[in-house]
Each structure stands twice: as C-alpha cells, then as structure tokens.
Amino acid sequence: MKVNWMLETGGDPLERLHTFLDAIWEEAELAGMLLPLSETAGPELKPRFVSERQMLAEANPFKPLMTENAARVVPLLLKEHRGERLGALLRPCEMRALVEMSKHNGFRPDDLLTISVDCLATFPADEYAWRADRARATDSLTEEALLFARQGGIVPYRYRSACQICLSPEAKVADLNIGVLGLPVRRQLLVRARDEAMAEQLRLDVHTDGEAPAQLLAQHERVVGKLELRRRQARDRICANMGSLLPQSVDELIVRFEACAECQRCMEVCPICSVDFPHQDQRGRYLREDLCRWLVSCAGCGMCEQACPQGQPLCAILGHVREQLLAETEYEPGRSPAEPLPVGMPA
C-alpha cells in the first residue's frame, strides 16, 4: 500500500482534519488522544488528554501559538493508561522531543499513535494576544496562518525566536504526518504514513480522498526546502550579530549557567529535562556530560527561552553550542527512535 495520501478540504482544512482524526480514532480503537485544545480565540492553547471524540472539534494544531511542549506529559499519560491504545497530536518539535525523551528515560511509546502536523510557526503569547485583540474574530490568526501556508508563512520577524531559526518545521517522524507547507490547503492536505504497514493498518485508502499526486508532493518538498534555507540564514545572521556574546563551548556554557544561580526555570519547562534533569557537582556547576546529553537532544521548541526570567536569548545561546555538538557527533535529534544517543561526548 502507498504511504502518501491526500485530503480534499472543501475550503475548511481544520474541519477536514477533524473528520479525518475522528475516523482514525475509531479505526485505531483509541481510548483517548492528547490534543492541543483551543477553547477561545485568546492566548490559550493547552495540551489535554481527552477520551471523548467530540472534543476533536476543539483541537487546533494550526493555531500560531505554543505555550507548552506537549511531549512532557506523555510518559505519565502512558503510565496512567497502561495497556490502552492512545493517540497524540503533536507539532514537529514536540515529536522530536518525544523521540529523544524515550531514549533518555527508556520508556517505549508502543501503545501511542503519533500524529504530527507541519508547523506554520508561532507568536509569543503577548504578540498573539495583541493580534487576536485587533482581529476581533475567532480563529482569524489560524485562518491567516493557513492562508499563507502555500508560501511557507509570513511575518517571520514576529514569530518566537525558536520558530525563526527552526530548521525542521516539517512533520516527518510520526506514525501519521499531515503536510500543509507549500500546499493549497483550502483544497488539499497531505497525509503521509510512517510506512506501508501503518497505512494499511489505518486503512488510509478508505479514510482519505486518494493517493497524493506527485505534483503535490514536489510542491510540499520545494517549499519546505526553501523555508529551511531561510531559517538557516536567519540563524547564521543572529549568531553573527551576537558574536562574542555566544558561548563557544560546553565549558563556557557551564560558566554562563553559574550566573543563573538556583533558577533552573529553563530546565523545568524542557521536555528532555523532565525525564533526565542535569546534575550539579558540589560547587554547584552542572556536570559536563549531563549538559552535553541535554543539548544533543534539544528539540528546539524554545520553551526554555520563553520561561527565562532574565530574558536571555537561550535559543541562540544553547543552539550555538548544540550545533557544534551535533556536527562533532553526527547526530540529529528526533531523526529516528531507533538511533541511539551519541556515546562518548567530545572533550
């Protein structure tokens, strides 16, 4: 069976996604699903586990707002519902975090059906609230984000810094991946299964509107490539502007953290730290091995910077050291659940 399928949206991509997820919920016999629930037009979007399918109508993975990484709640959710088949609707950075968390913690999300959606980028909460207030229309910012999905988004300088420099906005690791970037979403969405077995298990030939044409796949790939290049250029420009303000090694980063004293807010909201919190020595310095293990698994969600009371540009600071470690270890976080963490970090 093919792995690439499409959904005809009939002018309402969010509603079509809801009906598709409802069919998948029934097909997979899920006991519940973790969803980004948007009950208002304001700066609220919380991951919540629901056991009623009608709650799918409140889910909005296209809302350009992210205030929490949903992957953090998955281990406890699996523990509480042991033996039950669950689903989770995640952004790409949340999916990457989940993959890395399983390597740090050792839990196996075998009973979890993961569904990821291309990320159209997100605004800081205060920026979103300001825009939503000016728009004075429910979900108008969602509609605007979807309207420009074909171009890869708009107003990038207004997005959270994590989104401005995210090099992986595409949904591609989950069991089901929903593509919107580069697509005429008022007509079609892309559905890609992890493999043929998953496509057959979920009967995508029945629950979609046919195989995805090659032109649709090529258009999606082309825009994703352009977007990744633009983000890479933005990251390089930010790093160049910060210059000597960026730590040049893990050891410099350890020294930088000393100024944070006992804060730890960045780690408290990090999905990786939720299962593998870095330790400190007797002097209060973070252990080098622990920081390396944390950084190579960073999903780039930016929750750390959002939580920092000092307003430090942590996406750039941590990302700069992270990129060095990834280059030296040839590791890519979230690339594959089967890929082990790097053994023996560089000195």
Side-chain angles (χ1 to χ4, degrees), residues 43-238:
E44 299 176 13
L45 191 70
K46 294 288 186 180
R48 278 180 49 197
F49 178 75
V50 301
S51 55
E52 303 84 18
R53 282 163 53 186
Q54 60 265 32
M55 291 300 294
L56 284 168
E58 305 295 338
N60 189 352
F62 302 129
K63 189 171 184 175
L65 178 69
M66 182 179 180
T67 57
E68 183 178 344
N69 191 309
R72 295 180 75 251
V73 307
V74 171
L76 179 60
L77 198 60
L78 293 176
K79 184 177 181 180
E80 291 177 344
H81 296 268
R82 196 182 306 274
E84 295 181 312
R85 181 74 160 152
L86 308 180
L89 181 59
L90 305 170
R91 295 179 184 272
C93 61
E94 293 172 329
M95 189 64 218
R96 291 193 296 274
L98 181 63
V99 169
E100 293 302 300
M101 287 167 63
S102 68
K103 299 176 186 180
H104 284 256
N105 179 273
F107 73 91
R108 295 181 59 84
D110 296 331
D111 293 324
L112 185 70
L113 176 69
T114 54
I115 305 168
S116 187
V117 179
D118 282 353
C119 185
L120 297 172
T122 60
F123 295 109
D126 55 351
E127 174 78 15
Y128 184 93
W130 179 80
R131 287 175 174 269
D133 182 64
R134 285 174 60 87
R136 299 185 184 278
T138 302
D139 291 332
S140 63
L141 296 184
T142 294
E143 294 170 3
E144 182 181 76
L146 287 169
L147 178 64
F148 289 94
R150 192 166 190 171
Q151 290 77 35
I154 54 171
V155 292
Y157 64 95
R158 291 286 194 180
Y159 294 146
R160 291 189 308 124
S161 59
C163 295
Q164 292 182 35
I165 61 177
C166 174
L167 303 182
S168 304
E170 181 186 14
K172 56 184 178 182
V173 183
D175 296 319
L176 284 180
N177 301 281
I178 311 298
V180 296
L181 290 169
L183 305 185
V185 296
R186 294 189 64 80
R187 297 201 306 270
Q188 296 165 317
L189 298 178
L190 181 63
V191 176
R192 293 170 299 163
R194 181 189 64 204
D195 51 37
E196 292 187 4
M198 182 59 63
E200 184 173 2
Q201 177 186 334
L202 297 177
R203 296 204 302 161
L204 294 188
D205 58 331
V206 174
H207 300 304
T208 65
D209 298 301
E211 295 181 26
Q215 181 181 359
L216 197 69
L217 295 169
Q219 190 169 315
H220 176 264
E221 184 177 346
R222 182 169 58 253
V223 171
V224 168
K226 289 182 178 179
L227 187 57
E228 290 174 349
L229 176 60
R230 191 162 71 219
R231 301 277 181 80
R232 169 67 69 180
Q233 292 170 340
R235 173 173 290 188
D236 292 344
R237 184 171 61 252
I238 290 172

